[in-house]
Amino acid sequence: MKQPAMSRHIHIEASGDDAARVPLLTSHLELASLDSDEGEVIFERCIGDNANDVQRSTQRKRTYEEAVEDAGFGLFHGLLLVVCGWANASDAVEILCVSFLLPTARCDLHLSTSDMGLLTANIFLGMMIGGYMWGYLADQRGRQKVLVMSLTVNGVFGALASFAPRFWLFLLLRFISGVGVGGSIPVIFSYFSEFQPRLKRGAMISALATFWMAGNILAAGLAWLVIPRTWVRFSLGGLDFQSWRLFVVLCSVPSLTSALIFSLAMPESPRFLMEAGRETEALRVFCRMFAINHRGSLKTFSICGLHIPSEKKERETRRGGTHTQRFVKLLKQVLAPIRQLFVGELASRSVCLVVIFYCISFGYYGLWMWFPELFKRAEDGGSPCANVSRLQSHDNQSCYPVKTAVYMEGFVTAASNLPGNIFTVLLMDVIGGKALLCCSLLLSSVSVFLIYEVKTKAQSLLISCVFSGVSVVAWNSLDVLGTELYPTQLRSSALGFFTGIGRVAAIMGNIVFGQLVDTNCVIPVLLVSALLLTGGITALRLPRTKQAELT
């Protein structure tokens, strides 16, 4: 990007506490090769009046952290937050729309309780597969391209599911949509974090995580507004297109619009470009950040070069060898990042995160996806787990007229995330992600245990809101820790792998709830409480990352 008045020379000094900028990782990791459309480029053109600036360019080359600081913090980061936040919200909408359509769609698709458990687990199976696959591609090909592809897959197949006349086809299309969701969730946080200055990173990632709450509220609000409108009904060929199907179509709109915005307007991550040796492209991104952040200012961008890692990233040959040899080589390359997660100083934190992601995902998704159904069972008063004897068969129940109270309660529960989100945005850089993660998991465990003790519908709603508000702090803390604990060349792969572990747990949680909610609801509730307690204790072993420099 060419900027006006580039002949002015402004010195911008790096800021921040030097002690706080020590990277978490001090040793070099074995790097899988990164494919790039360009080789390593030497940036030869400097900005300045003095001809000797070119000769001194090696002394003035900026590291990634210094370049981010020099680019400033302002309007660009606000716009980036909105765009990435909308993508994050779209993932929440796509996941949670299934839980809101269950009370009505079960009649049209002839679903048993076990079928409903399979349906809610199905999208997490897709996310498990997509999480690592897209994460690996993001570390090799770039964050922006992968986000466009994964969001498109999410939106297109999510919309097509609304036209499925049979349960098996609906299940298949939701699975493919889940593959797309699994890619965008880990990659969006890697992408977003790599534009943030060190002292703002924790608060900004926490702010990005709050858009998950916005997605929750949007999904619940759409369900409340659309699904009870039973007059929205028409025949499409042999398909009886009812209001819940329109709800599914509307839930795909955020993903499709996000994919369009990323493809037209968003740059590649400068951190990724530097790691790939694409210095000129990275400089263009920093110039763009500076221009937007200092719009209307007389300052000019004075960086004439970036410090690119000295090791040459050799391109893997794609030709030669048999098909089997090439497949084995590709498989080793894909699995290499997983092996690196459990080597050296990364091993202990990776083991801890496996345990934490499993515990919180089993508990949160196992319980959250069933909240609308549990609210429905508490409609006549009493504990959701007490009212099971009258719900042994869904065949004798009618889904119409739709009870709007179920969706109102889902909306209130989603909105209860707000206090926890505000809390993390304000205190993430003060307290640190580790302390917030430990405390929120322990409090979540207590709140889930209290579900076993509730006696009225009002108490059920209150405890659900407490669980929602407290558990979101844990998720926000994990989003911050996940980006700060791993280096750039492993960041998206690591987040994809750990979210994959979380999807396995979410699948198991939904299957367990589906099998036991009609017979012994107490068992999965107490199991969730125990797992959240285990996750909180495990989090104590994670390293402190507050305001750490990205490696």
Side-chain angles (χ1 to χ4, degrees), residues 486-506:
Y486 294 93
T488 302
Q489 69 271 13
L490 290 178
R491 189 168 295 122
S492 290
S493 296
L495 290 175
F497 173 73
F498 292 124
T499 53
I501 296 294
R503 303 321 168 206
V504 173

Side-chain angles (χ1 to χ4, degrees), residues 62-281:
R62 301 292 202 273
T63 65
Y64 158 75
E65 292 285 354
E66 291 170 340
V68 170
E69 295 288 346
D70 288 351
F73 182 84
L75 179 60
F76 175 87
H77 294 85
L79 295 174
L80 182 71
L81 176 63
V82 173
V83 173
C84 292
W86 182 239
N88 191 29
S90 72
D91 291 332
V93 170
E94 201 64 41
I95 293 173
L96 296 173
C97 80
V98 172
S99 66
F100 288 112
L101 62 84
L102 284 179
T104 304
R106 63 178 177 79
C107 289
D108 296 329
L109 296 176
H110 309 291
L111 304 182
S112 64
T113 303
S114 296
D115 290 335
M116 289 192 288
L118 182 61
L119 180 58
T120 54
N122 179 67
I123 190 171
F124 293 109
L125 178 60
M127 291 169 69
M128 177 185 69
I129 296 173
Y132 186 75
M133 177 187 75
W134 294 114
Y136 172 78
L137 289 175
D139 284 337
Q140 305 301 309
R141 300 291 184 177
R143 318 319 196 188
Q144 186 257 4
K145 292 179 182 178
V146 166
L147 281 171
V148 172
M149 291 187 290
S150 60
L151 287 165
T152 301
V153 170
N154 178 9
V156 169
F157 287 93
L160 289 176
S162 66
F163 300 98
R166 298 286 184 270
F167 174 59
W168 68 267
L169 182 57
F170 187 82
L171 198 68
L172 175 63
L173 293 172
R174 295 304 303 178
F175 166 79
I176 300 175
S177 174
V179 173
V181 176
S184 52
I185 288 178
V187 177
I188 197 69
F189 281 93
S190 294
Y191 176 84
F192 182 77
S193 68
E194 291 168 0
F195 287 91
Q196 306 305 319
R198 177 176 56 86
L199 297 178
K200 301 285 187 181
R201 189 175 299 125
M204 290 297 288
I205 295 175
S206 298
L208 174 62
T210 64
F211 281 84
W212 186 268
M213 173 200 66
N216 286 350
I217 294 174
L218 179 59
L222 281 174
W224 192 5
L225 291 173
V226 175
I227 295 179
R229 306 296 183 261
T230 53
W231 53 266
V232 181
R233 182 174 185 176
F234 57 90
S235 295
L236 191 65
L239 178 67
D240 185 14
F241 198 94
Q242 302 205 40
S243 58
W244 68 266
R245 294 183 182 273
L246 175 61
F247 169 69
V248 174
V249 173
L250 293 176
C251 285
S252 68
V253 172
S255 296
L256 294 174
T257 54
S258 293
L260 182 63
I261 293 171
F262 269 96
S263 64
L264 297 178
M266 303 309 293
E268 181 55 85
S269 158
R271 180 67 176 176
F272 170 81
L273 293 173
M274 289 178 66
E275 288 292 323
R278 294 153 66 177
E279 183 180 6
T280 302
E281 294 176 65

Side-chain angles (χ1 to χ4, degrees), residues 36-53:
S36 172
D37 295 331
E38 299 179 16
E40 186 170 353
V41 179
I42 302 300
F43 192 81
E44 297 177 344
R45 183 168 171 264
C46 294
I47 302 167
D49 297 323
N50 193 337
N52 292 329
D53 286 346

Side-chain angles (χ1 to χ4, degrees), residues 276-451:
R278 294 153 66 177
E279 183 180 6
T280 302
E281 294 176 65
L283 274 170
R284 290 195 189 104
V285 175
F286 285 126
C287 284
R288 182 177 178 183
M289 294 169 61
F290 181 91
I292 296 175
N293 286 334
H294 295 85
R295 188 176 182 180
S297 172
L298 295 178
K299 290 184 178 180
T300 56
F301 199 51
S302 62
I303 295 180
C304 65
L306 297 171
H307 179 71
I308 301 299
S310 58
E311 56 266 18
K312 181 71 176 178
K313 299 177 175 62
E314 298 179 356
R315 187 186 300 270
E316 290 286 338
T317 179
R318 296 180 179 273
R319 298 180 180 179
T322 65
H323 290 291
T324 302
Q325 290 173 333
R326 280 183 285 177
F327 174 77
V328 171
K329 187 175 184 178
L330 176 62
L331 185 62
K332 288 181 179 179
Q333 189 177 6
V334 170
L335 296 179
I338 296 181
R339 181 176 63 84
Q340 293 182 53
L341 294 179
F342 297 93
V343 172
E345 56 190 326
L346 292 179
S348 60
R349 67 187 65 174
S350 296
V351 171
C352 289
L353 285 178
V354 166
V355 175
I356 294 169
F357 267 93
Y358 183 90
C359 291
I360 191 174
S361 298
F362 186 103
Y364 179 84
Y365 288 114
L367 192 59
W368 183 271
M369 298 293 285
W370 284 87
F371 269 153
E373 181 67 17
L374 293 177
F375 285 143
K376 184 175 184 297
R377 296 182 178 209
E379 193 68 32
D380 297 330
S383 170
C385 288
N387 297 333
V388 295
S389 59
R390 60 183 176 85
L391 292 158
Q392 295 297 321
S393 174
H394 288 288
D395 294 336
N396 297 324
Q397 298 180 54
S398 173
C399 297
Y400 301 96
V402 178
K403 296 182 178 180
T404 58
V406 173
Y407 302 105
M408 181 273 291
E409 290 156 358
F411 183 85
V412 171
T413 304
S416 64
N417 282 331
L418 182 59
N421 280 300
I422 294 175
F423 183 81
T424 51
V425 170
L426 295 177
L427 296 180
M428 180 62 70
D429 285 327
V430 177
I431 298 176
K434 176 181 175 179
L436 288 176
L437 178 61
C438 294
C439 294
S440 60
L441 285 174
L442 295 176
L443 291 175
S444 297
S445 174
V446 174
S447 65
V448 172
F449 178 79
L450 293 177
I451 293 178

